[in-house]
Amino acid sequence: MASDVVTLWDINIRHLPESPERRTIDNHSQQTNADLRELGAIASERFGEDVPGCETSRGFLLEAELAAEEIERIAHRLLADTVIETVDVTQIDRREVPANTITVLPKPGVMDPVAQSARQAIATLGIAVESVRTYRRYLFPANASAKLLEFVAPRVLANEAIEQVVFGELSAEHLALGSSYTFERVVVPISTMDDAALERLSREGQLFLNLTEMRAIRDHFVEQNREPTDIELETIAQTWSEHCSHKTLRGPYTYEGEPGEGGLLKDTVFKVTKDLDLDWCVSVFEDNAGIIRFDDDWNICFKVETHNHPSAIEPYGGANTGLGGVIRDILGTGQGAKPICNTDVFCFASPDYAYEDLPDGVIHPARVMRGVVSGVRDYGNRMGIPTVNGAVCFDERYLGNPLVFCGTVGLLPKERSFKSPKPGDLIVALGGRTGRDGIHGATFSSGELHTESESVSGGAVQIGNAITQKKLMDVLLVARDRDLFHAVTDCGAGGFSSAVGEMGETIGAHVTLDSASLKYEGLSYTEIWISEAQERMVLAVPSDNWGELRELCESEDVEALVLGTFEEGGQLLLTYQGETVGELSMKFLHDGRPNIVHHGKSSRTPPAPLEVPSDVKPGKALHGILGSLNVRSKEWIIRQYDFEVQGSSVVKPLVGESEDGPSDAAVIAPVPGSTKGVAVGCGINPRLADADCYAMAASVIDEAIRNIVAVGGDPDRCALLDNFCWGNTERPEVFGTICEAAFACRDIAKGYGTPFISGKDSLHNEFQTPDGPIVIPPTLLISAMAIVHDVRHAVTMDLKKNGNNLILVGLTRDELGGSHFNLVTGATGGTAPTVDTTVGRSIFEAVHRAIGEGMVRSCHDLSEGGLAVAVAEMAFAGELGAAIDLADVPTSEKMDAMTILFSESNTRFLLEVPQEKTDRLLKLFGDLPIAVIGQVTEAKELSVRGAGGEVLRESIAQLKQSWQQPLK
Amino acid sequence: MATVNVLVLRSPGANCDEETAHAFQLAGANTDQIHVNRLLDEPTTLEKYQILCVPGGFSYGDDVSAGRILGSLLEHKLGDLLKAFRDRDRLILGICNGFQVLIKSGLLDTQDDSGKLLATLAFNRHGRFETRWVHLRMRPGCCAFVTEDEILEMPIAHAEGNFVVESRSFLDSLTESGRMIATYVDNEGKSGDFPVNPNGSAGDVAGICDKTGRVFALMPHPERHVIPTQHPRWTRRGDQPTEGDGLRLFRNAVAFFG
């Protein structure tokens, strides 16, 4: 054997079978074989053979010259846990690989954090190795056909967007990382391009710009009398992308032929905040997150992001980096905030979707859900941030285009709430290295998904490494407190290009691209500039502080390097190996984009009359709603998130006697030793959008505030965030619905006096199939946070004590349009719920006062499923019964029992109040709609009486059982 | 009483150091959160401390397996120092990831004389990360951190907490030598399947100590139950207690030096 060939070791680790002593399970094997069984029917139909089970193992590939004793130590003492695992060490090319062996390993250039750590761990043994890769391996029976395995591999074993599948023996080529890069300045001859050529350049270069924008770029360079370089075009495309510039909702528009005053957002959500002009709003729509006042020393900030397209292609990585990204937004707010809790909201198609109906290029929704949940779990838990609130919505139109919303709340010293880079500051990159991951994420997310998205845009998927970011956070917050930098921002979509471009917007910047630290060789200067490799922040550091910052970073193994300087002159200058590769004026970059006018058309129609099938029974409808995917218990997800880390939780996501009832919102007390808290909640209900988008938006704002108020949050210190996820807004009927939703945001937030402080939109959420696009329902997520003045007054939704009164607050109207009653009974039509902010505001204030004065033992808002679901949930969470009489319910008009029970009218709460406090409470509500409708009972059943006698009587245990049907 | 100094060990990925330090402070101790790199640079740093605590989190990402890399560092780079610390009547506490780290470092005496491993913390039996409040039966045994036979409530939050032994006899020896300090029970003190035993641990083990009783490690998080409003059912109680159950362990550790 030639001496220059380095040995490739394969350390293969298998789980030992379970025994009475060893009560363990092999997760990987169980999940894989379960997935194989699920695929069974469709595969056997296509290939005429059954899908066999397989043996699974994991392993490491080591490139190193090692003594036998060394490799033994690495394998047995470090990489395998010999109490539960067995390990084999072989050398590649010196062994026989059994037939039907499939090895799955990360594609070259894809992050492999476990391999990085393993290498570090091997070093602790005093042994050096060249390189380490991880893999998973699957061994199928010898008689399984190659065709079948080729079908199975990408569906169950691997995700080919990020992983390679190797049949049989591995070779060194599979381990290659990158090849060397020869510098060559690339010039794009744009000046002579006609419209067709411009469009082709936009498409083939994945710039995702339209013709008007491409023409503006061409004209700019013609005016300059030169051709652009590739990096200049990329920089413009990133900055002008929908993702970074939000050109649709910030640009000019018309609605029903009427032109708006400014952009749609400016006329609506921004305007509310401006008009309200509240002194506790510290920074709104400016920084990476909105900031409000918390107490005399601290401010809090909140941001919610979407990561939809990456999650469609690689659910785990997409959701993982979605959360990682929004956490960085918080780290990059002001001069760096400490993340104190996360929120997560997902929209999927049904996990029961038939495999055989799945369009090509779509990952099955059950796998999407599993991947997304684990992705969020692994980032949040590893960063040590409690995930305290969320929601999951199901609709078949999310099939190829799931939605993943991740939010983070941060705590920020009051005096660190603003930043500004100064000319002469060093541009310092902190954290992870730059690789070829996530190229074109910003532009890709601004287009539509289609069958081929996976292969064309696979590079847009990033893989996170939460520990790199945790380390980064640790040093960043210390550096902030030592005053080592002037400004900080995160590297999100667009990478350095967006971060430096934004920070240097009013100054100018010079970046030397060859100074970036790379994961592997072979990146071009353009790739370095636009890579969306994760876990990186950019700081503006006075040169006097650079030494101390570098030392701090080195002391905790965090990489920091100088990428350039903020230089006056308003130019963005990019150099590589001493040569200028790009020079753009900040003015053109940020103000040169031509406006595109969007036109909105109303498709609002008067509601169809409600039609209810004749055989509907209230008890059955209640069980149906409790068991519906949207309402059903999410305990399976919630418990996978650490909602206790940081020790701050006061109202947890699961509450009640058995700690499994659905909390309305979370309360945390983020400052140790202080009883001041933050309530965090949300509202989302895309079903209502089919009835009326204005009503949908109004209702979800009301729901978000309701949830906050129900746990003790102050409605007068409540801030909102918007996330619009829509289809292709180039179509006037789609743009029309987003206008209607935005108008509702303006009207309702103004009426309630609740400012919007931050937001993020994601448009083009459509999946193209040969039969036409699948368009998601208009989806508005409203997140809310509010101050809880004393967390010891917080309230949960579980019933507490037999004999207490049940008091309904708020007016019930005949509003079943878009309701869950309709969903489960097959009823159609009806009016969608409306919002009366005048009465509503008084109700919120009165409920808040009653809670603050200790009159309320439990409180639950009425939402999906109305009164019936609310009282059922309160009863089973408290493991008590309830008896109510519908005759006493305040209603807008005379209506039947079914409508009173299931109407989803807004601004309603069910309160549990001790007898002796009831009169005082009723007095406090004055003329507002309120009534005692029943009592908490010892008997564990829910009984409802109407005008004509008993309407329903159901056992609490059975209601809970319907609600607790497994989600997975 | 002289002030007790506690070193809460930070590491890349440790994430419960702040609330753990806060819990020790509530118990009257002085605390410093110190990065493992400082200890490697300057091992004598440890001298001024009476208690070393390895807090929860995901040290080095738990990438190879939970606690493996930090455990390996403690074993190979700081092993003698930590054994000497323990032998000078000082205390070592591991919580959650700290338990995973300590069991993999060998400091919990869970290997035989030849170095063969006799116990580990494997993946939870139901296959998922789990956050859940549990009841723990505490028995003092030979452990310096526990003084009373009692039931305490605190949360778990882990994926790899399933205590697995190589043989039944090792489990028996833990019981016989008074090293089985915390076990999962129900609210009446009885053992049971999931969710009473939330991860499938052999012998319902939630926490064990070493042969000296001065190195103690447990999977649940006592630092997350030091004030009443952290309790999952505090809104259901009439009067609130003055403090949370978990604070007891920190008070006992500090009182050990009184």
Side-chain angles (χ1 to χ4, degrees), chain B residues 174-198:
Chain B
L174 286 178
T175 315
E176 285 154 17
S177 53
R179 293 170 58 195
M180 206 191 270
I181 305 303
T183 51
Y184 300 108
V185 291
D186 65 13
N187 56 358
E188 292 170 348
K190 296 205 245 342
S191 71
D193 290 334
F194 183 86
V196 174
N197 175 340

PDB file of all heavy atoms in Angstrom, chain B residues 174-198:
ATOM      1  N   LEU B 174     -25.756  -0.809  44.219  1.00  0.00           N
ATOM      2  CA  LEU B 174     -26.029   0.618  44.463  1.00  0.00           C
ATOM      3  C   LEU B 174     -26.990   0.773  45.643  1.00  0.00           C
ATOM      4  O   LEU B 174     -26.791   1.631  46.508  1.00  0.00           O
ATOM      5  CB  LEU B 174     -26.646   1.270  43.223  1.00  0.00           C
ATOM      6  CG  LEU B 174     -25.748   1.557  42.029  1.00  0.00           C
ATOM      7  CD1 LEU B 174     -26.570   2.151  40.885  1.00  0.00           C
ATOM      8  CD2 LEU B 174     -24.623   2.523  42.399  1.00  0.00           C
ATOM      9  N   THR B 175     -28.028  -0.055  45.653  1.00  0.00           N
ATOM     10  CA  THR B 175     -28.998   0.010  46.748  1.00  0.00           C
ATOM     11  C   THR B 175     -28.330  -0.348  48.072  1.00  0.00           C
ATOM     12  O   THR B 175     -28.474   0.362  49.065  1.00  0.00           O
ATOM     13  CB  THR B 175     -30.159  -0.980  46.478  1.00  0.00           C
ATOM     14  OG1 THR B 175     -30.567  -0.843  45.120  1.00  0.00           O
ATOM     15  CG2 THR B 175     -31.327  -0.721  47.403  1.00  0.00           C
ATOM     16  N   GLU B 176     -27.598  -1.459  48.048  1.00  0.00           N
ATOM     17  CA  GLU B 176     -27.009  -1.957  49.294  1.00  0.00           C
ATOM     18  C   GLU B 176     -25.998  -0.982  49.880  1.00  0.00           C
ATOM     19  O   GLU B 176     -25.902  -0.840  51.104  1.00  0.00           O
ATOM     20  CB  GLU B 176     -26.338  -3.316  49.050  1.00  0.00           C
ATOM     21  CG  GLU B 176     -27.354  -4.439  48.911  1.00  0.00           C
ATOM     22  CD  GLU B 176     -26.820  -5.595  48.075  1.00  0.00           C
ATOM     23  OE1 GLU B 176     -25.584  -5.676  47.886  1.00  0.00           O
ATOM     24  OE2 GLU B 176     -27.643  -6.399  47.594  1.00  0.00           O
ATOM     25  N   SER B 177     -25.278  -0.287  49.020  1.00  0.00           N
ATOM     26  CA  SER B 177     -24.255   0.611  49.553  1.00  0.00           C
ATOM     27  C   SER B 177     -24.797   2.019  49.783  1.00  0.00           C
ATOM     28  O   SER B 177     -24.032   2.945  50.034  1.00  0.00           O
ATOM     29  CB  SER B 177     -23.052   0.638  48.603  1.00  0.00           C
ATOM     30  OG  SER B 177     -23.504   0.949  47.298  1.00  0.00           O
ATOM     31  N   GLY B 178     -26.121   2.157  49.705  1.00  0.00           N
ATOM     32  CA  GLY B 178     -26.717   3.461  50.011  1.00  0.00           C
ATOM     33  C   GLY B 178     -26.386   4.531  48.995  1.00  0.00           C
ATOM     34  O   GLY B 178     -26.285   5.709  49.327  1.00  0.00           O
ATOM     35  N   ARG B 179     -26.209   4.136  47.748  1.00  0.00           N
ATOM     36  CA  ARG B 179     -25.852   5.116  46.711  1.00  0.00           C
ATOM     37  C   ARG B 179     -27.026   5.457  45.806  1.00  0.00           C
ATOM     38  O   ARG B 179     -26.924   6.328  44.941  1.00  0.00           O
ATOM     39  CB  ARG B 179     -24.686   4.586  45.870  1.00  0.00           C
ATOM     40  CG  ARG B 179     -23.382   4.486  46.654  1.00  0.00           C
ATOM     41  CD  ARG B 179     -22.326   3.730  45.872  1.00  0.00           C
ATOM     42  NE  ARG B 179     -22.058   4.355  44.589  1.00  0.00           N
ATOM     43  CZ  ARG B 179     -21.412   3.769  43.586  1.00  0.00           C
ATOM     44  NH1 ARG B 179     -20.990   2.526  43.716  1.00  0.00           N
ATOM     45  NH2 ARG B 179     -21.209   4.402  42.458  1.00  0.00           N
ATOM     46  N   MET B 180     -28.128   4.730  45.982  1.00  0.00           N
ATOM     47  CA  MET B 180     -29.303   5.045  45.161  1.00  0.00           C
ATOM     48  C   MET B 180     -30.086   6.122  45.911  1.00  0.00           C
ATOM     49  O   MET B 180     -30.837   5.842  46.839  1.00  0.00           O
ATOM     50  CB  MET B 180     -30.131   3.786  44.954  1.00  0.00           C
ATOM     51  CG  MET B 180     -30.930   3.876  43.685  1.00  0.00           C
ATOM     52  SD  MET B 180     -32.114   2.599  43.570  1.00  0.00           S
ATOM     53  CE  MET B 180     -31.247   1.322  42.745  1.00  0.00           C
ATOM     54  N   ILE B 181     -29.887   7.371  45.522  1.00  0.00           N
ATOM     55  CA  ILE B 181     -30.321   8.497  46.352  1.00  0.00           C
ATOM     56  C   ILE B 181     -31.697   9.028  45.954  1.00  0.00           C
ATOM     57  O   ILE B 181     -32.490   9.418  46.791  1.00  0.00           O
ATOM     58  CB  ILE B 181     -29.279   9.643  46.267  1.00  0.00           C
ATOM     59  CG1 ILE B 181     -27.894   9.111  46.638  1.00  0.00           C
ATOM     60  CG2 ILE B 181     -29.666  10.810  47.147  1.00  0.00           C
ATOM     61  CD1 ILE B 181     -27.811   8.468  48.003  1.00  0.00           C
ATOM     62  N   ALA B 182     -31.972   9.069  44.671  1.00  0.00           N
ATOM     63  CA  ALA B 182     -33.261   9.621  44.217  1.00  0.00           C
ATOM     64  C   ALA B 182     -33.907   8.643  43.251  1.00  0.00           C
ATOM     65  O   ALA B 182     -33.271   8.184  42.303  1.00  0.00           O
ATOM     66  CB  ALA B 182     -33.043  10.967  43.524  1.00  0.00           C
ATOM     67  N   THR B 183     -35.166   8.293  43.515  1.00  0.00           N
ATOM     68  CA  THR B 183     -35.898   7.433  42.581  1.00  0.00           C
ATOM     69  C   THR B 183     -37.222   8.086  42.204  1.00  0.00           C
ATOM     70  O   THR B 183     -37.790   8.862  42.977  1.00  0.00           O
ATOM     71  CB  THR B 183     -36.185   6.045  43.199  1.00  0.00           C
ATOM     72  OG1 THR B 183     -36.788   6.229  44.477  1.00  0.00           O
ATOM     73  CG2 THR B 183     -34.908   5.234  43.349  1.00  0.00           C
ATOM     74  N   TYR B 184     -37.699   7.767  41.002  1.00  0.00           N
ATOM     75  CA  TYR B 184     -38.983   8.293  40.534  1.00  0.00           C
ATOM     76  C   TYR B 184     -40.115   7.534  41.216  1.00  0.00           C
ATOM     77  O   TYR B 184     -40.133   6.296  41.208  1.00  0.00           O
ATOM     78  CB  TYR B 184     -39.116   8.111  39.022  1.00  0.00           C
ATOM     79  CG  TYR B 184     -38.055   8.818  38.217  1.00  0.00           C
ATOM     80  CD1 TYR B 184     -37.041   8.111  37.574  1.00  0.00           C
ATOM     81  CD2 TYR B 184     -38.070  10.209  38.096  1.00  0.00           C
ATOM     82  CE1 TYR B 184     -36.069   8.766  36.822  1.00  0.00           C
ATOM     83  CE2 TYR B 184     -37.103  10.874  37.350  1.00  0.00           C
ATOM     84  CZ  TYR B 184     -36.108  10.142  36.710  1.00  0.00           C
ATOM     85  OH  TYR B 184     -35.156  10.791  35.970  1.00  0.00           O
ATOM     86  N   VAL B 185     -41.051   8.281  41.809  1.00  0.00           N
ATOM     87  CA  VAL B 185     -42.219   7.661  42.451  1.00  0.00           C
ATOM     88  C   VAL B 185     -43.456   8.487  42.095  1.00  0.00           C
ATOM     89  O   VAL B 185     -43.340   9.548  41.475  1.00  0.00           O
ATOM     90  CB  VAL B 185     -42.067   7.636  43.999  1.00  0.00           C
ATOM     91  CG1 VAL B 185     -40.968   6.679  44.418  1.00  0.00           C
ATOM     92  CG2 VAL B 185     -41.816   9.044  44.536  1.00  0.00           C
ATOM     93  N   ASP B 186     -44.641   7.990  42.520  1.00  0.00           N
ATOM     94  CA  ASP B 186     -45.833   8.819  42.330  1.00  0.00           C
ATOM     95  C   ASP B 186     -46.035   9.698  43.567  1.00  0.00           C
ATOM     96  O   ASP B 186     -45.203   9.687  44.482  1.00  0.00           O
ATOM     97  CB  ASP B 186     -47.057   7.956  42.011  1.00  0.00           C
ATOM     98  CG  ASP B 186     -47.452   7.049  43.169  1.00  0.00           C
ATOM     99  OD1 ASP B 186     -46.954   7.258  44.299  1.00  0.00           O
ATOM    100  OD2 ASP B 186     -48.261   6.132  42.937  1.00  0.00           O
ATOM    101  N   ASN B 187     -47.143  10.438  43.610  1.00  0.00           N
ATOM    102  CA  ASN B 187     -47.285  11.393  44.706  1.00  0.00           C
ATOM    103  C   ASN B 187     -47.463  10.714  46.067  1.00  0.00           C
ATOM    104  O   ASN B 187     -47.358  11.350  47.099  1.00  0.00           O
ATOM    105  CB  ASN B 187     -48.424  12.385  44.420  1.00  0.00           C
ATOM    106  CG  ASN B 187     -49.735  11.659  44.162  1.00  0.00           C
ATOM    107  OD1 ASN B 187     -49.781  10.420  44.154  1.00  0.00           O
ATOM    108  ND2 ASN B 187     -50.798  12.416  43.947  1.00  0.00           N
ATOM    109  N   GLU B 188     -47.719   9.394  46.041  1.00  0.00           N
ATOM    110  CA  GLU B 188     -47.814   8.683  47.312  1.00  0.00           C
ATOM    111  C   GLU B 188     -46.534   7.912  47.638  1.00  0.00           C
ATOM    112  O   GLU B 188     -46.485   7.156  48.608  1.00  0.00           O
ATOM    113  CB  GLU B 188     -49.002   7.712  47.265  1.00  0.00           C
ATOM    114  CG  GLU B 188     -50.326   8.450  47.231  1.00  0.00           C
ATOM    115  CD  GLU B 188     -51.501   7.538  46.943  1.00  0.00           C
ATOM    116  OE1 GLU B 188     -51.272   6.368  46.544  1.00  0.00           O
ATOM    117  OE2 GLU B 188     -52.625   8.005  47.124  1.00  0.00           O
ATOM    118  N   GLY B 189     -45.555   8.076  46.789  1.00  0.00           N
ATOM    119  CA  GLY B 189     -44.283   7.408  47.075  1.00  0.00           C
ATOM    120  C   GLY B 189     -44.156   6.029  46.475  1.00  0.00           C
ATOM    121  O   GLY B 189     -43.193   5.314  46.753  1.00  0.00           O
ATOM    122  N   LYS B 190     -45.128   5.645  45.648  1.00  0.00           N
ATOM    123  CA  LYS B 190     -45.069   4.307  45.043  1.00  0.00           C
ATOM    124  C   LYS B 190     -44.426   4.377  43.656  1.00  0.00           C
ATOM    125  O   LYS B 190     -44.578   5.361  42.939  1.00  0.00           O
ATOM    126  CB  LYS B 190     -46.485   3.728  44.921  1.00  0.00           C
ATOM    127  CG  LYS B 190     -47.154   3.491  46.259  1.00  0.00           C
ATOM    128  CD  LYS B 190     -48.204   2.429  46.124  1.00  0.00           C
ATOM    129  CE  LYS B 190     -49.636   2.796  46.328  1.00  0.00           C
ATOM    130  NZ  LYS B 190     -50.175   3.915  46.962  1.00  0.00           N
ATOM    131  N   SER B 191     -43.763   3.282  43.305  1.00  0.00           N
ATOM    132  CA  SER B 191     -43.147   3.279  41.980  1.00  0.00           C
ATOM    133  C   SER B 191     -44.196   2.937  40.920  1.00  0.00           C
ATOM    134  O   SER B 191     -45.282   2.455  41.245  1.00  0.00           O
ATOM    135  CB  SER B 191     -41.985   2.281  41.928  1.00  0.00           C
ATOM    136  OG  SER B 191     -42.500   0.975  41.962  1.00  0.00           O
ATOM    137  N   GLY B 192     -43.893   3.193  39.682  1.00  0.00           N
ATOM    138  CA  GLY B 192     -44.858   2.928  38.615  1.00  0.00           C
ATOM    139  C   GLY B 192     -44.227   3.091  37.247  1.00  0.00           C
ATOM    140  O   GLY B 192     -43.109   3.585  37.132  1.00  0.00           O
ATOM    141  N   ASP B 193     -44.971   2.670  36.226  1.00  0.00           N
ATOM    142  CA  ASP B 193     -44.480   2.824  34.854  1.00  0.00           C
ATOM    143  C   ASP B 193     -44.639   4.281  34.412  1.00  0.00           C
ATOM    144  O   ASP B 193     -45.097   5.117  35.172  1.00  0.00           O
ATOM    145  CB  ASP B 193     -45.287   1.909  33.913  1.00  0.00           C
ATOM    146  CG  ASP B 193     -44.947   0.443  34.186  1.00  0.00           C
ATOM    147  OD1 ASP B 193     -43.828   0.188  34.674  1.00  0.00           O
ATOM    148  OD2 ASP B 193     -45.815  -0.413  33.933  1.00  0.00           O
ATOM    149  N   PHE B 194     -44.329   4.547  33.140  1.00  0.00           N
ATOM    150  CA  PHE B 194     -44.528   5.885  32.579  1.00  0.00           C
ATOM    151  C   PHE B 194     -45.943   6.371  32.887  1.00  0.00           C
ATOM    152  O   PHE B 194     -46.878   5.587  32.741  1.00  0.00           O
ATOM    153  CB  PHE B 194     -44.323   5.846  31.059  1.00  0.00           C
ATOM    154  CG  PHE B 194     -44.436   7.180  30.408  1.00  0.00           C
ATOM    155  CD1 PHE B 194     -43.341   8.016  30.330  1.00  0.00           C
ATOM    156  CD2 PHE B 194     -45.655   7.614  29.904  1.00  0.00           C
ATOM    157  CE1 PHE B 194     -43.460   9.270  29.748  1.00  0.00           C
ATOM    158  CE2 PHE B 194     -45.775   8.868  29.323  1.00  0.00           C
ATOM    159  CZ  PHE B 194     -44.668   9.688  29.246  1.00  0.00           C
ATOM    160  N   PRO B 195     -46.193   7.578  33.302  1.00  0.00           N
ATOM    161  CA  PRO B 195     -45.206   8.655  33.407  1.00  0.00           C
ATOM    162  C   PRO B 195     -44.535   8.769  34.782  1.00  0.00           C
ATOM    163  O   PRO B 195     -43.746   9.693  34.968  1.00  0.00           O
ATOM    164  CB  PRO B 195     -46.043   9.895  33.127  1.00  0.00           C
ATOM    165  CG  PRO B 195     -47.394   9.570  33.659  1.00  0.00           C
ATOM    166  CD  PRO B 195     -47.574   8.083  33.505  1.00  0.00           C
ATOM    167  N   VAL B 196     -44.865   7.858  35.730  1.00  0.00           N
ATOM    168  CA  VAL B 196     -44.219   7.964  37.059  1.00  0.00           C
ATOM    169  C   VAL B 196     -42.706   7.830  36.892  1.00  0.00           C
ATOM    170  O   VAL B 196     -41.940   8.664  37.360  1.00  0.00           O
ATOM    171  CB  VAL B 196     -44.776   6.889  38.021  1.00  0.00           C
ATOM    172  CG1 VAL B 196     -44.007   6.902  39.331  1.00  0.00           C
ATOM    173  CG2 VAL B 196     -46.263   7.135  38.265  1.00  0.00           C
ATOM    174  N   ASN B 197     -42.301   6.762  36.233  1.00  0.00           N
ATOM    175  CA  ASN B 197     -40.906   6.645  35.817  1.00  0.00           C
ATOM    176  C   ASN B 197     -40.864   7.154  34.372  1.00  0.00           C
ATOM    177  O   ASN B 197     -41.279   6.472  33.450  1.00  0.00           O
ATOM    178  CB  ASN B 197     -40.469   5.183  35.905  1.00  0.00           C
ATOM    179  CG  ASN B 197     -39.061   4.963  35.363  1.00  0.00           C
ATOM    180  OD1 ASN B 197     -38.541   5.777  34.606  1.00  0.00           O
ATOM    181  ND2 ASN B 197     -38.451   3.840  35.736  1.00  0.00           N
ATOM    182  N   PRO B 198     -40.381   8.371  34.164  1.00  0.00           N
ATOM    183  CA  PRO B 198     -40.619   9.034  32.875  1.00  0.00           C
ATOM    184  C   PRO B 198     -39.720   8.562  31.740  1.00  0.00           C
ATOM    185  O   PRO B 198     -39.971   8.913  30.591  1.00  0.00           O
ATOM    186  CB  PRO B 198     -40.336  10.504  33.195  1.00  0.00           C
ATOM    187  CG  PRO B 198     -39.328  10.463  34.286  1.00  0.00           C
ATOM    188  CD  PRO B 198     -39.642   9.230  35.101  1.00  0.00           C
TER     189      PRO B 198
END
